[in-house]
Amino acid sequence: MADNKPLPPGSTIGMLGGGQLGRMTALAAANLGYRVHVFCPDRDNPTAQVSSAATVAAYEDETALARFAGMVDVVTYEFENVPDVTARLLAARVPVRPGPEALRVAQDRIVEKDFVNKCGVRTAAWRQVDGVAELDTAVAALGRPAVLKSTRLGYDGKGQVKIDASTDLAEAWKRMGSRHGILEGFVDFACEISVIVARGADGAMAPYPAVENRHVNHILDTTIAPAALSKAQASEAEGIARALARALDLVGLLAIEMFLTRGGEILVNELAPRPHNSGHWTMDACRTSQFEQFVRAVAGLPLGAIDRHADAVMKNLIGAEVETWPAIVAEPGAKLHLYGKAEARPGRKMGHVNRLYPLGEAPRG
Ligand code: AMP
């Protein structure tokens, strides 16, 4: 696949990871005439259920990776913790989009924060901490409360410990569970927002409007699209997304989670170089969904128009919440998306529902 040449219909997109993000990408890819070949260690994963081919193997299985690379025209991924060896082995044989730089930055919270700050974008104050003694110094510098996070492999609040007035630091270090940590000043935010920007192989960019994200138990529960921001704040959030995607020379999607502080400042929390849960509302409220846009970028097609034809509230169906599906599917206008997961374990994302509202009328209660 030459760098700027569109992938012709009938080509195969290789997908690392078999979760719901891969599944919804595969469905969008099929609409554009592409096949998806998923690579995932789990049999009967949500992506494999809707893909034309599946490899079930460990991400470090070099023989399986080489065979997979020979059967696909481009490789992408639906999670950013792709092992280094996997990305390197594949990139030597087939285009990987987004490229290795996006992975390197998004896999490590220290590298990520440093990258964001070097782009002139603010984050919470932070310190690298690799032991209890350093934690002690960092807490003295940043004050309490603060948040201690593992630098790698943390998501949905895992590997995260809040340090407040009475927290014992040795205990907090143990609970965090990694040898490498980052201490962040606690952000007293008014709300959490995110922007997803698509960037094509030709450098064209299309940012979706900033949305508001509400979490329960550290897991995204509800997204309200768009966020209730001033014009200046909305354009600042969009500008940050564009600047970071350009600096990464990213081809695909970049999701940026941010805090809006009570003082009206925007601070970046986290980056994800892939489709994002906070973009699921676009499936029913925008002319081009984040999944179609992702496929377009990865396949070297022009980006689609992203106009929003409705406001939306996306509610995740977590664990047993999925059992409410009969009521949702009977609700006129509610758009139900289920992920084909057999077992509704607590905290597991089983599906989501999008509810649409006239422009300017999303409920925010
Ligand atoms: P993360 O894994 O970094 O996305 O963090 C998960 C959630 O923890 C965020 O969505 C916030 O609700 C909260 N959180 C993370 N970092 C901070 C911080 N520095 N200050 C306040 N809340 C935070």
Side-chain angles (χ1 to χ4, degrees):
M1 178 190 182
D3 246 11
N4 279 327
K5 225 163 126 222
L7 210 58
S11 305
T12 301
I13 298 172
M15 172 66 66
L16 296 174
Q20 64 270 13
L21 301 176
R23 176 188 180 94
M24 292 182 275
T25 303
L27 292 170
N31 276 337
L32 289 168
Y34 296 119
R35 294 162 183 272
V36 165
H37 182 154
V38 57
F39 190 110
C40 176
D42 310 317
R43 208 167 284 284
D44 189 37
N45 59 72
T47 309
Q49 291 169 13
V50 302
S51 294
S52 52
T55 296
V56 178
Y59 291 118
E60 293 83 2
D61 181 338
E62 299 193 6
T63 314
L65 285 168
R67 197 174 337 115
F68 172 70
M71 291 191 284
V72 302
D73 299 289
V74 63
V75 167
T76 191
Y77 41 87
E78 56 122 46
F79 69 115
E80 55 274 24
N81 293 313
V82 176
D84 252 13
V85 37
T86 314
R88 263 188 284 115
L89 193 143
L90 291 172
R93 292 170 159 81
V94 64
V96 176
R97 288 178 166 169
E101 179 63 3
L103 276 178
R104 191 183 69 83
V105 168
Q107 283 183 352
D108 185 302
R109 290 186 194 271
I110 301 274
V111 179
E112 184 175 76
K113 289 260 182 339
D114 192 45
F115 163 79
V116 169
N117 293 155
K118 283 192 173 127
C119 289
V121 175
R122 279 169 301 188
T123 58
W126 59 274
R127 294 284 188 282
Q128 180 169 354
V129 287
D130 291 334
V132 185
E134 279 181 37
L135 178 60
D136 200 57
T137 314
V139 170
L142 300 186
R144 301 181 185 226
V147 186
L148 175 65
K149 303 179 181 178
S150 60
T151 55
R152 299 176 81 90
L153 298 176
Y155 66 96
D156 288 347
K158 293 187 174 68
Q160 236 182 80
V161 183
K162 184 166 176 208
I163 292 176
D164 51 32
S166 61
T167 307
D168 176 75
L169 296 186
E171 185 59 33
W173 181 255
K174 241 184 26 216
R175 268 190 18 234
M176 186 268 289
S178 162
R179 282 189 299 140
H180 303 289
I182 179 171
L183 185 77
E184 297 178 14
F186 190 80
V187 179
D188 180 26
F189 54 78
C191 67
E192 295 189 68
I193 61 173
S194 60
V195 173
I196 297 171
V197 61
R199 187 164 182 273
D202 58 357
M205 284 195 266
Y208 289 99
V211 296
E212 178 179 341
N213 299 317
R214 296 186 182 167
H215 294 79
V216 174
N217 299 328
H218 290 283
I219 301 175
L220 181 64
D221 181 75
T222 304
T223 294
I224 303 169
L229 301 179
S230 70
K231 263 207 168 116
Q233 288 166 337
S235 86
E236 184 184 343
E238 187 181 310
I240 289 172
R242 285 177 181 273
L244 298 181
R246 195 182 300 113
L248 287 172
D249 195 21
L250 174 133
V251 175
L253 294 184
L254 182 67
I256 298 115
E257 297 177 23
M258 314 177 204
F259 299 120
L260 178 66
T261 68
R262 291 186 194 281
E265 250 192 319
I266 294 177
L267 306 177
V268 166
N269 177 34
E270 234 188 346
L271 311 181
R274 53 164 170 80
H276 193 260
N277 195 165
S278 70
H280 291 359
W281 67 279
T282 62
M283 298 171 83
D284 298 302
C286 292
R287 196 187 294 262
T288 305
S289 75
Q290 66 162 343
F291 297 104
E292 176 178 341
Q293 199 72 302
F294 181 44
V295 171
R296 282 172 170 265
V298 166
L301 304 181
L303 298 180
I306 56 169
D307 5 350
R308 176 177 103 252
H309 50 75
D311 280 8
V313 175
M314 187 283 312
K315 167 80 180 82
N316 267 342
L317 301 173
I318 312 258
E321 284 176 348
V322 73
E323 285 158 24
T324 61
W325 71 264
I328 297 170
V329 88
E331 186 185 322
K335 305 300 286 183
L336 178 65
H337 301 266
L338 296 178
Y339 306 152
K341 298 181 185 178
E343 202 192 332
R345 290 194 292 270
R348 196 172 196 207
K349 292 175 179 169
M350 303 299 293
H352 69 270
V353 53
N354 286 331
R355 294 185 171 91
L356 305 183
Y357 302 90
L359 292 174
E361 292 183 24
R364 295 175 189 280

